[in-house]
Amino acid sequence: MTTLKNDRFLRALLREPVDTTPIWVMRQAGRYLPEYRATRARAGSFMDLCKSPELACEVTLQPLERFALDAAILFSDILTVPDAMGLGLYFEEGEGPRFQQAIRSAADIDRLGVPDPEGELKYVMDAVRVIRRELAGRVPLIGFSGSPWTLATYMVEGGSSKEFAHIKGMLYDEPALLHKLLGVIADSVTQYLNAQIAAGAQAAMIFDTWGGALAPEAYREFSLAYMGRVVDGLTREAEGRRVPVILFTKGGGQWLEEMAATGCDALGLDWTTNIGDARRRVGDRVALQGNLDPAVLYARPERIRDQVAKVLADYGQGSGHVFNLGHGIHQHIDPDHVTALVDAVHELGRPYHA
Amino acid sequence: MTTLKNDRFLRALLREPVDTTPIWVMRQAGRYLPEYRATRARAGSFMDLCKSPELACEVTLQPLERFALDAAILFSDILTVPDAMGLGLYFEEGEGPRFQQAIRSAADIDRLGVPDPEGELKYVMDAVRVIRRELAGRVPLIGFSGSPWTLATYMVEGGSSKEFAHIKGMLYDEPALLHKLLGVIADSVTQYLNAQIAAGAQAAMIFDTWGGALAPEAYREFSLAYMGRVVDGLTREAEGRRVPVILFTKGGGQWLEEMAATGCDALGLDWTTNIGDARRRVGDRVALQGNLDPAVLYARPERIRDQVAKVLADYGQGSGHVFNLGHGIHQHIDPDHVTALVDAVHELGRPYHA
């Protein structure tokens, strides 16, 4: 494997010295980029794009051509795992993801197997291999998965949900059933991420998009516990380096101490928590990734710069901060505003590492 | 005015002794009740229902006929105030609220006036008067308004939003403009709530549905400050009793101490904060209202009872707790489950007030 030319991102996640604060952007390969929209149009459906290793590689690299980002993230969807379990993922325009089969009963759960990452999910591992080859050591590649709880919400609801009626009904009425489902998903996610690491992913991120919809005790028992189980099962070293793991629960600002205790290397933060307060709370147990409000990018470049300065100052002196948005970039953002963001972070971040 | 037969709700908000924990349910007059759906069908549109004092009274009282609730809440919409400002509120089926005019510029803001509560909004005050008469002192009546920030989100976006692109663009790009808008709304909300109190509302609640979408500093400056201004301007005594004020920021669990410092009497809590932790944080400054996950009501009655017991135990001994859901009741809930909830609160709450 090629030597890494820029390892700021990996070093910051391990709280090792860096020259300036690294940055990447959640959903950096996405619809706000005209070149993404062009590839997407050529690919056909969104899943066709995910399932072609060459096209997935193409869109993964697009934002790196435009912006001085410090990491690439595998282009894929969080629902590849339930799709590979046979649930039949499809997308309806403007409707979000749906599954042909929803999981509602013990019999439904009994039929689920752990998918083979080099079988049904081989297209993902092929994408990781192609991207690593094409990156040629420019920056590290992040692999990712949805959290077991987040994947379970889609599987039980049969798609996106606002109220989580079915899965929360199961949680409160039949907790043993939900635990059984989450166990199968946790095993699948562990194997899936380990296969990504074996294929070349240099860090792993677990997206718990819907953990914040839970009451604190339910979060602990049905989301955090299974993320902890995944973390415990992950390969933590590859190519002679540590493979850092980032946990991100959107809306999880109240639970950072407990998240930090899972053994992960870093926490993703949404923008509703002050990153300085978060740092005081987690101490030197983990690095922090975040947490600019994605809506700041609607403002003009000077204002973006002011807000970047604020987040950097809130985090303060020293390593352990990977700059990012607090959630995925919105689709109507002007790409030039992302240039302003990335350049501001690198420039204004420098004094914090002197 | 008639003497109150059941004042548990008002006493709990002021942390005065009660015989058991009072309960009401956010959106208790709503689509989960067949009798509500029947009145709504008779009324025509949702706004026709809001604008008829007699029909608004009818649906306000419906849940009190079924359940032993300790408070009634005025049936209305949070968008009556911007509608009265001339923005032209309408509802598209399955689409949420929309405005014919969105507020985007200084000129748009200059055109806005503070609506006369006994003029354009007289239908709301008439509803309060009719409901008070028909309640005949059974339980107290809660008046309410959206928070200035929450109303501003609809006015600037022109309706519901997920990403708040326009208003956050204004917040980061033109903060002085947004402050001007929020000032006009805060004055309107203050007059609106004071008129409800003059018409007979015995408590007031401010719903900050979208404050939780803000970064902490932005929350403080653009939502909390204006709720504080409203609280400062409210009539706090009527009919020889204190009129308690409840602030509720959905997703505001990280900011309870600051909310408690506004001078309000109570905080509404969503279900993502443990109510015992919240009580330890706010001490004896305010009462707490909440905070069962609304999705618990999908479970069977025995499980609902277990979860009620947990919330009561988390809050612990003594007054200062008004039981409620952490957000509005979902539309597909079985009304019999609400009976189980209300009865469980009254029965299991008793030992905490011995």
Side-chain angles (χ1 to χ4, degrees), chain A residues 163 165 168-169 172-175 212-217 253-255 271-274 281 293 295-296 298-300 303 307 310 314 330, chain B residues 163 165 168-169 172-175 212-217 253-255 271-274 281 293 295-296 298-300 303 307 310 314 330:
Chain A
E163 300 190 331
K168 285 193 174 179
Y172 289 114
D173 246 351
E174 306 268 13
L214 289 168
E217 299 73 15
Q254 298 185 88
W255 310 318
W271 66 93
T272 65
T273 302
N274 177 291
R281 286 167 55 196
D293 182 347
V296 168
Y298 291 113
R300 72 194 105 134
R303 303 292 190 166
Q307 295 295 322
K310 197 198 149 298
D314 284 342
H330 300 176
Chain B
E163 300 190 332
K168 285 193 175 179
Y172 290 113
D173 246 351
E174 305 269 14
L214 289 167
E217 299 73 16
Q254 298 185 87
W255 308 319
W271 65 93
T272 66
T273 302
N274 178 290
R281 286 167 56 197
D293 183 347
V296 167
Y298 291 114
R300 73 193 104 136
R303 304 292 190 169
Q307 295 295 321
K310 197 196 149 300
D314 285 343
H330 299 176

Side-chain angles (χ1 to χ4, degrees), chain A:
Chain A
M1 293 278 182
T2 344
T3 328
L4 261 178
K5 295 180 192 92
N6 171 356
D7 64 355
R8 261 184 215 135
F9 167 74
L10 294 178
R11 297 182 62 85
L13 287 178
L14 301 174
R15 290 163 294 124
E16 295 169 0
V18 286
D19 59 340
T20 190
T21 306
I23 175 171
W24 69 281
V25 173
M26 285 192 269
R27 229 183 280 152
Q28 62 192 19
R31 288 181 290 177
Y32 74 106
L33 289 177
E35 56 271 34
Y36 169 88
R37 297 194 297 269
T39 310
R40 168 71 210 283
R42 260 197 297 132
S45 78
F46 176 74
M47 282 312 287
D48 289 339
L49 179 52
C50 292
K51 290 190 173 180
S52 156
E54 289 68 30
L55 294 179
C57 175
E58 184 175 312
V59 296
T60 297
L61 299 184
Q62 283 167 348
L64 302 177
E65 300 301 322
R66 273 190 187 253
F67 318 116
L69 295 161
D70 297 294
I73 181 162
L74 166 69
F75 183 84
S76 191
D77 191 78
I78 61 165
L79 299 180
T80 50
V81 170
D83 181 54
M85 286 170 151
L87 270 62
L89 176 64
Y90 65 101
F91 287 82
E92 289 200 280
E93 213 49 50
E95 284 288 302
R98 307 287 319 160
F99 285 115
Q100 268 144 15
Q101 321 264 341
I103 302 296
R104 298 279 162 86
S105 67
D108 291 340
I109 297 169
D110 285 338
R111 274 193 296 271
L112 292 174
V114 171
D116 175 3
E118 290 287 359
E120 305 90 321
L121 290 161
K122 184 166 180 291
Y123 67 91
V124 177
M125 308 312 144
D126 287 341
V128 171
R129 287 181 278 260
V130 175
I131 297 165
R132 271 302 300 274
R133 188 188 70 215
E134 296 300 316
L135 272 173
R138 273 188 279 172
V139 293
L141 175 63
I142 308 166
F144 75 92
S145 172
S147 74
W149 161 256
T150 292
L151 297 184
T153 65
Y154 292 95
M155 293 168 72
V156 175
E157 300 297 332
S160 302
S161 175
K162 274 190 194 167
E163 300 190 331
F164 303 108
H166 295 288
I167 193 163
K168 285 193 174 179
M170 191 187 282
L171 187 158
Y172 289 114
D173 246 351
E174 306 268 13
L177 205 59
L178 183 54
H179 278 302
K180 193 171 177 193
L181 173 61
L182 289 165
V184 179
I185 304 174
D187 290 346
S188 304
V189 165
T190 306
Q191 294 192 22
Y192 181 61
L193 284 173
N194 278 339
Q196 290 183 36
I197 293 164
Q202 291 148 296
M205 181 156 167
I206 301 174
F207 286 88
D208 187 29
T209 314
W210 299 119
L214 289 168
E217 299 73 15
Y219 172 72
R220 223 165 276 146
E221 181 177 345
F222 296 95
S223 183
L224 188 62
Y226 289 92
M227 290 199 283
R229 193 163 137 179
V230 172
V231 171
D232 286 344
L234 291 184
T235 310
R236 299 298 278 274
E237 202 172 303
E239 305 171 48
R241 280 188 93 126
R242 183 163 177 92
V243 180
V245 178
I246 310 162
L247 293 194
F248 175 53
T249 294
K250 182 155 188 287
Q254 298 185 88
W255 310 318
L256 302 178
E257 294 86 344
E258 296 171 71
M259 295 172 71
T262 54
C264 64
D265 298 280
L267 300 182
L269 283 186
D270 70 29
W271 66 93
T272 65
T273 302
N274 177 291
I275 197 167
D277 291 338
R279 187 181 188 184
R280 283 180 283 279
R281 286 167 55 196
V282 300
D284 58 5
R285 281 170 290 171
V286 288
L288 294 173
Q289 177 175 280
N291 71 339
L292 193 72
D293 182 347
V296 168
L297 296 181
Y298 291 113
R300 72 194 105 134
E302 311 90 89
R303 303 292 190 166
I304 295 171
R305 203 174 155 87
D306 293 345
Q307 295 295 322
V308 165
K310 197 198 149 298
V311 172
L312 288 168
D314 284 342
Y315 184 83
Q317 211 61 32
S319 187
H321 182 202
V322 171
F323 206 103
N324 206 318
L325 303 182
H327 196 52
I329 186 169
H330 300 176
Q331 70 168 303
H332 298 297
I333 296 299
D334 178 344
D336 290 344
H337 289 203
V338 179
T339 307
L341 166 72
V342 172
D343 294 350
V345 170
H346 285 153
E347 183 193 331
L348 303 175
R350 219 163 272 276
Y352 293 100
H353 305 278

Side-chain angles (χ1 to χ4, degrees), chain B residues 39-210:
Chain B
T39 309
R40 166 83 161 68
R42 259 197 298 135
S45 78
F46 175 73
M47 282 311 288
D48 289 339
L49 179 51
C50 293
K51 289 190 174 179
S52 156
E54 289 68 31
L55 294 179
C57 174
E58 183 176 312
V59 296
T60 297
L61 298 184
Q62 284 168 348
L64 302 177
E65 302 299 323
R66 272 189 187 255
F67 317 118
L69 295 161
D70 297 295
I73 183 163
L74 166 68
F75 183 84
S76 192
D77 191 76
I78 61 165
L79 299 180
T80 50
V81 169
D83 181 54
M85 286 170 150
L87 271 64
L89 176 64
Y90 65 102
F91 288 82
E92 288 199 282
E93 213 48 50
E95 283 288 302
R98 307 289 316 158
F99 285 114
Q100 267 144 15
Q101 321 264 342
I103 302 296
R104 298 281 160 86
S105 67
D108 291 341
I109 297 170
D110 285 338
R111 272 194 296 271
L112 291 175
V114 171
D116 175 3
E118 290 288 358
E120 305 90 323
L121 289 161
K122 184 165 179 291
Y123 68 91
V124 177
M125 307 313 144
D126 287 341
V128 171
R129 287 182 278 259
V130 174
I131 297 165
R132 271 302 298 276
R133 188 188 70 213
E134 295 301 315
L135 272 173
R138 273 188 280 172
V139 293
L141 175 63
I142 308 166
F144 75 91
S145 172
S147 73
W149 161 257
T150 293
L151 298 184
T153 65
Y154 292 95
M155 293 168 72
V156 175
E157 299 297 332
S160 302
S161 175
K162 274 188 193 168
E163 300 190 332
F164 303 107
H166 296 286
I167 192 162
K168 285 193 175 179
M170 191 186 283
L171 187 157
Y172 290 113
D173 246 351
E174 305 269 14
L177 205 59
L178 183 53
H179 278 302
K180 193 171 176 194
L181 173 61
L182 289 166
V184 180
I185 304 175
D187 290 345
S188 304
V189 166
T190 306
Q191 293 192 21
Y192 181 60
L193 284 173
N194 278 338
Q196 290 183 35
I197 293 165
Q202 291 147 296
M205 181 156 168
I206 300 174
F207 287 88
D208 187 30
T209 315
W210 299 118

Side-chain angles (χ1 to χ4, degrees), chain B residues 8 19-23 68 70 301-302 304-306 308-309 312-313 323 338-354:
Chain B
R8 260 183 216 135
D19 58 338
T20 189
T21 305
I23 175 171
D70 297 295
E302 310 89 89
I304 294 171
R305 203 175 156 87
D306 293 345
V308 165
L312 288 168
F323 206 103
V338 179
T339 307
L341 165 71
V342 173
D343 293 350
V345 171
H346 285 153
E347 183 194 330
L348 302 175
R350 219 163 271 277
Y352 294 100
H353 304 278

